[in-house]
Amino acid sequence: MKTTLSALLGSLLAVCMFELLPAEDWPQWRGPHRDQVSREKGLLPAWPEGGPPLLWTFKDSGIGFSSPAVVGDRIYIMGSRNGVEQLLSLDARNGKELWALEVGDEFQNSRGNGPRGTPSIVDGRVFALGAYGDLVAADADSGALLWKVSMRDLGGSPPNWGYSESVLVDQGRVVCTPGGPRGTLAALDANNGKLLWQSSQFTSPAHYSSPIVIEWAGVRQYVQLTVDALVGIRATDGGLLWRSDWPGRTAVVPTPVYQEGRVFITSGYGVGSKLVRLDASNNVSDVYFNKVMKNHHGGVVLLDGHLYGYSDGRGWMCMDFAGGEEVWSEKEALGKGAIAYADGRFYLLGEQDGTVVLIDASPEGWKERGRFQLTPDSELRQARWLFWTHPVISDGRLYLRNQELLFAYDIGE
C-alpha cells in the first residue's frame, strides 16, 4: 500500500511539475542556444490532416527573410516596408503590431530584398542588423532607439547578398562581423555601441554565417565561419586563438555547430563539411573533411551524436557527428529547406513552395508525422525569392514566415 501511495504521489508531483514548466523563449537566431533546438515538451506528436491549428496571421511583416525572435509575449522581427528596413515588435498572443523602428534603407537584390538577420533580445534590449550593415539597439518595450552603428564605420562593406548574420550578444558585448582590413569580427559595448575591440589578426571579408560563443580550455571565445576560414576569437580582446582553413565558394551561410571541443561546419556549392577538434592549448586539427553534408543555408541540427539537415545532391540526411558517415538520406519526400527541432520531432520547411513537414528525430530513418502547405501565398514575393526563413518554436507555437506574412500555429497537445 505504501509503495502504491508513493508511486501515486510521485506521479502527481511529476504532472504538477510538468504543468508548471515555463514556456521557452526563442530570443535570438537558432533559439536560446543557437543550435535550432527548442527544449519545450508537450507538443503534438503528429499533425491532423491540413496541419496544426492556425492561431493568427500577421500580414504586414514587410519584405525580408528575418526569422522572428520571441521573448515572453513579444515577437521581434525585421522587414522592409515602403523602402525602409524596420525592426518590428508584435504581440505573440494575437499578432498585433506594437511598434516599429527604422533601421536603414532597403537592401535590393535579384534573390530577395530586405533584411536577413534575426534580432537578439537581452536584458530588455533588442539588437538588430540590417542588410546594408546598420546595427541598432532599441528598448524592447517601447522601441525607442538607444544607439546605432554602421558596419561601414568599422571598415566593412556588404557582401553580395547583403549582411545576413544575426548578431550575438554575450556578457555585455554585441559581437558582429563587419569584415575587412580592420578586423573581421568586432565587439561593441551593448550599453552604448562603442567599439571594444576588432579582430585585427583576422581580416577576411564578411560572408553570411552567424557567430557562436563557446567556453573551452578555460577561455571564452567566439567561433565564426567565413569564405576562407573557421576561427576562434578570444572574447575579452579579439585576439585570434586558432584558425582552420575553409575552401568556401560563392556564399558560406550555415552557423557552426559545437560540442565538447569539436566544431562542425558545412557549406554548399559543392564544398561539403568538416569537423575540427581543439586541444587543451586551443590548437586545432581536422577530424574529417568530406562531401557527405553539403548544406546551403537551411542549417543543421546536432542531436544525440547525429547531425540532421538537407545536403545538396543527397536530400534530407542523418550523419554521424563523430565520424562523418551517412546514416540515412531521403530525397523524394521533400525538397531542399530549413530545419528546427522540438520534443522528439523535426520541423522542416521546403524552400520551393512552403511545404511544412513533421518527422521523427531518429537515426532510424525518415518517419513522417504530418504535412501542410503555407497559405495564402505572399503578394510581394517574387519568383526567385524562395521560402528561406527558418522555423521558430516557442511557447507551444510554430512560427513560419513567407515575406510579409507571419503565421503562428498551435502545436501544443
Side-chain angles (χ1 to χ4, degrees):
M1 179 67 178
K2 184 179 291 185
T3 301
T4 303
L5 181 59
S6 298
L8 178 61
L9 289 174
S11 298
L12 289 172
L13 179 61
V15 170
C16 291
M17 289 179 66
F18 178 79
E19 290 179 346
L20 291 173
L21 284 174
E24 186 173 53
D25 290 335
W26 192 279
Q28 61 174 335
W29 167 243
R30 287 174 58 85
H33 305 284
R34 289 209 161 199
D35 56 6
Q36 203 66 8
V37 169
S38 168
R39 272 67 175 176
E40 288 196 12
K41 301 293 183 181
L43 305 181
L44 287 171
W47 291 339
E49 186 73 23
L54 176 65
L55 293 172
W56 51 258
T57 305
F58 178 62
K59 299 181 179 180
D60 197 21
S61 296
I63 295 170
F65 301 94
S66 170
S67 298
V70 186
V71 175
D73 60 4
R74 293 289 187 96
I75 296 171
Y76 303 90
I77 195 168
M78 300 184 74
S80 182
R81 304 190 295 191
N82 301 314
V84 178
E85 294 187 356
Q86 298 180 336
L87 170 63
L88 312 175
S89 178
L90 312 178
D91 190 324
R93 296 167 295 187
N94 52 32
K96 302 297 183 183
E97 183 174 331
L98 300 173
W99 54 256
L101 173 68
E102 291 190 0
V103 174
D105 293 338
E106 177 183 292
F107 179 85
Q108 297 187 348
N109 186 278
S110 63
R111 297 312 299 264
N113 298 350
R116 286 92 160 91
T118 296
S120 296
I121 299 89
V122 176
D123 297 333
R125 292 170 292 180
V126 54
F127 305 85
L129 179 67
Y132 275 124
D134 299 300
L135 173 59
V136 298
D139 181 86
D141 288 332
S142 67
L145 179 66
L146 302 176
W147 53 260
K148 183 174 183 178
V149 171
S150 170
M151 296 299 100
R152 291 183 176 86
D153 297 336
L154 301 173
S157 59
N160 185 52
W161 287 289
Y163 280 107
S164 302
E165 78 164 324
S166 303
V167 296
L168 172 68
V169 185
D170 174 63
Q171 296 187 339
R173 307 177 192 97
V174 181
V175 182
C176 54
T177 311
R182 297 186 201 172
T184 304
L185 274 75
L188 310 179
D189 189 319
N191 293 313
N192 52 35
K194 292 183 178 178
L195 180 65
L196 298 174
W197 54 253
Q198 204 156 348
S199 63
S200 58
Q201 295 171 294
F202 178 56
T203 58
S204 293
H207 252 240
Y208 308 95
S209 185
S210 296
I212 60 172
V213 57
I214 72 171
E215 191 90 27
W216 178 251
V219 181
R220 196 169 187 84
Q221 51 188 280
Y222 304 125
V223 176
Q224 177 61 304
L225 176 65
T226 66
V227 69
D228 58 358
L230 172 71
V231 296
I233 302 295
R234 190 164 43 237
T236 54
D237 61 8
L240 179 64
L241 290 168
W242 55 268
R243 171 182 174 137
S244 179
D245 290 343
W246 181 244
R249 299 173 190 158
T250 310
V252 173
V253 185
T255 301
V257 174
Y258 172 78
Q259 185 182 75
E260 298 174 351
R262 296 170 295 176
V263 183
F264 175 86
I265 54 173
T266 180
S267 62
Y269 301 95
V271 175
S273 60
K274 80 171 175 177
L275 183 71
V276 303
R277 184 185 300 276
L278 305 175
D279 68 13
S281 300
N282 275 302
N283 298 309
V284 62
S285 59
D286 287 2
V287 178
Y288 59 78
F289 180 17
N290 62 38
K291 297 182 183 295
V292 174
M293 178 69 76
K294 300 186 291 292
N295 186 262
H296 187 188
H297 46 56
V300 294
V301 173
L302 174 60
L303 186 70
D304 298 330
H306 295 92
L307 288 156
Y308 300 84
Y310 188 91
S311 178
D312 291 342
R314 290 175 179 255
W316 292 96
M317 172 180 292
C318 170
M319 68 177 286
D320 182 74
F321 175 68
E325 302 89 3
E326 177 182 325
V327 178
W328 60 257
S329 60
E330 170 56 56
K331 194 173 182 179
E332 302 302 322
L334 180 69
K336 185 176 180 176
I339 185 171
Y341 168 85
D343 199 13
R345 304 287 185 270
F346 287 122
Y347 296 73
L348 312 178
L349 175 62
E351 70 172 28
Q352 288 292 331
D353 61 2
T355 296
V356 189
V357 179
L358 185 71
I359 67 169
D360 286 353
S362 170
E364 299 302 315
W366 178 283
K367 297 179 182 178
E368 191 169 316
R369 302 300 181 183
R371 69 169 55 207
F372 68 97
Q373 189 168 359
L374 285 180
T375 55
D377 198 359
S378 163
E379 296 181 0
L380 303 179
R381 186 170 64 87
Q382 298 180 18
R384 299 186 74 197
W385 305 2
L386 304 185
F387 293 78
W388 288 324
T389 301
H390 290 204
V392 165
I393 300 154
S394 179
D395 194 15
R397 298 186 183 99
L398 171 64
Y399 296 98
L400 299 165
R401 180 180 187 172
N402 179 10
Q403 295 300 319
E404 78 275 17
L405 304 176
L406 179 65
F407 304 89
Y409 292 89
D410 183 0
I411 56 172
E413 285 191 285

